[in-house]
């Protein structure tokens, strides 16, 4: 079982719609959860992190965490063509040794269709 | 946020040769990591670069193949030794500035390596 699982996509949504990106993880004791965006040919950049159950909103982005279900998601409201990228879920496991050694999922490729 | 630079940005190398990649940060960081991202794949951690001591390698990566140095809190190098076409990849350094579980990693721009 992979430690962090994501559907590789591509996920296609029309411009203006809500894009929902999902991630599951295997380590029940995982502490923190991060969403990165990676444009083609570029390095990953942090969108937001979440560590408590529930929702966390930042502009058009909402991260949702459900530790009981070991599930974290990212919602993008009013999707724009500029949101087209690969979205990487990263999880900090309980046994990271304090070294911030997150585990990355394979990423979901999002395509926003104008 | 800090500025992270990597050199070279890309290179094409012959098999059997070695390439050293540099990562420079404009402020002191707590942690520095080296990742590999092969085409269509996610990020794979190669090692944690430890300041003043030997790097900590992940399973499947060894010092002879990927020697790493970190002489101070702002600089690290990764060498890809005795390269083969399978080493063609993007190599990324990343840094963390704090020690909290919510401190995030920031990535350098990457080095795109092609081995012929």
């Amino acid at each position: 079982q992979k430690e962090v699982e994501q559907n590789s996509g591509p996920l296609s949504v029309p411009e203006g719609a809500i894009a929902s990106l999902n991630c599951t993880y295997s380590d029940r004791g995982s502490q923190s959860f991060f969403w990165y965006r990676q444009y083609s040919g570029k390095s990953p950049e942090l969108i937001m992190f979440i560590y408590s159950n529930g929702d966390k909103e930042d502009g058009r982005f909402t991260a949702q965490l459900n530790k009981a279900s070991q599930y974290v998601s990212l919602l993008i409201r009013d999707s724009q063509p500029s949101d087209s990228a690969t979205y990487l879920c990263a999880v900090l496991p309980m046994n990271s040794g304090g070294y911030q050694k997150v585990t990355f999922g394979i990423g979901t490729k999002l395509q926003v269709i104008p | 946020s800090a500025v992270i630079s990597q050199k070279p940005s890309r290179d094409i190398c012959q098999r059997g040769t070695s390439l050293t990649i540099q990562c420079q940060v404009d402020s002191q960081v707590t942690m520095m990591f080296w990742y590999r991202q092969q085409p269509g794949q996610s990020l794979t951690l190669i090692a944690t670069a430890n300041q003043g001591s030997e790097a900590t390698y992940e399973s499947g990566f060894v010092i002879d193949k990927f020697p790493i140095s970190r002489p101070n809190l702002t600089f690290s190098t990764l060498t890809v030794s005795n390269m083969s076409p399978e080493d063609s990849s993007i190599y990324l350094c990343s840094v963390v500035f704090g020690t909290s579980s919510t401190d995030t990693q920031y990535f350098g721009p990457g080095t795109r390596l092609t081995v012929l």
Side-chain angles (χ1 to χ4, degrees):
Chain A
Q1 181 185 9
K2 292 181 182 177
E3 296 179 47
V4 180
E5 294 209 43
Q6 294 181 260
N7 188 321
S8 61
L11 172 67
S12 295
V13 300
E15 183 175 355
I18 296 175
S20 178
L21 304 161
N22 305 315
C23 172
T24 59
Y25 59 94
S26 59
D27 183 351
R28 184 171 289 278
S30 295
Q31 305 174 58
S32 305
F33 308 84
F34 306 85
W35 282 101
Y36 286 83
R37 177 176 61 199
Q38 186 173 25
Y39 291 113
S40 180
K42 302 294 185 182
S43 59
E45 55 180 335
L46 179 73
I47 298 175
M48 61 193 308
F49 69 87
I50 187 168
Y51 56 88
S52 298
N53 275 326
D55 295 358
K56 179 180 180 182
E57 188 175 318
D58 183 0
R60 295 187 296 113
F61 298 97
T62 299
Q64 299 176 317
L65 175 60
N66 184 326
K67 290 187 177 180
S69 299
Q70 295 174 238
Y71 177 95
V72 57
S73 64
L74 179 71
L75 302 178
I76 306 175
R77 290 182 299 282
D78 188 24
S79 296
Q80 301 296 310
S82 59
D83 295 325
S84 297
T86 297
Y87 290 80
L88 301 167
C89 172
V91 177
L92 182 66
M94 182 172 61
N95 63 346
S96 68
Y99 290 112
Q100 297 303 101
K101 285 168 52 175
V102 298
T103 299
F104 285 87
I106 195 170
T108 298
K109 185 173 183 178
L110 173 67
Q111 296 176 338
V112 180
I113 311 301
Chain B
S1 61
V3 175
I4 308 168
S5 61
Q6 279 186 241
K7 291 184 192 178
S9 59
R10 59 177 62 227
D11 207 342
I12 301 173
C13 302
Q14 297 297 320
R15 69 168 66 215
T17 63
S18 298
L19 176 72
T20 295
I21 302 168
Q22 299 180 1
C23 178
Q24 178 75 57
V25 192
D26 67 351
S27 59
Q28 294 184 351
V29 301
T30 307
M31 307 294 299
M32 294 183 82
F33 303 97
W34 286 99
Y35 285 86
R36 181 173 72 184
Q37 187 173 32
Q38 295 180 306
Q41 302 296 315
S42 188
L43 296 158
T44 302
L45 180 63
I46 297 172
T48 303
N50 300 310
Q51 192 263 328
S53 64
E54 190 171 293
T56 304
Y57 290 85
E58 298 300 304
S59 176
F61 297 96
V62 296
I63 188 171
D64 290 346
K65 176 67 176 178
F66 296 101
I68 289 170
S69 77
R70 188 182 172 193
N72 55 52
L73 295 176
T74 63
F75 183 79
S76 178
T77 66
L78 167 74
T79 298
V80 186
S81 303
N82 188 24
M83 288 184 285
S84 67
E86 292 71 35
D87 295 319
S88 297
S89 184
I90 297 173
Y91 292 85
L92 294 146
C93 72
S94 76
V95 303
V96 178
F97 293 96
T99 57
S100 163
S101 62
T102 57
D103 287 315
T104 59
Q105 289 190 34
Y106 296 91
F107 287 86
T111 297
R112 183 179 295 271
L113 171 63
T114 301
V115 184
L116 302 177

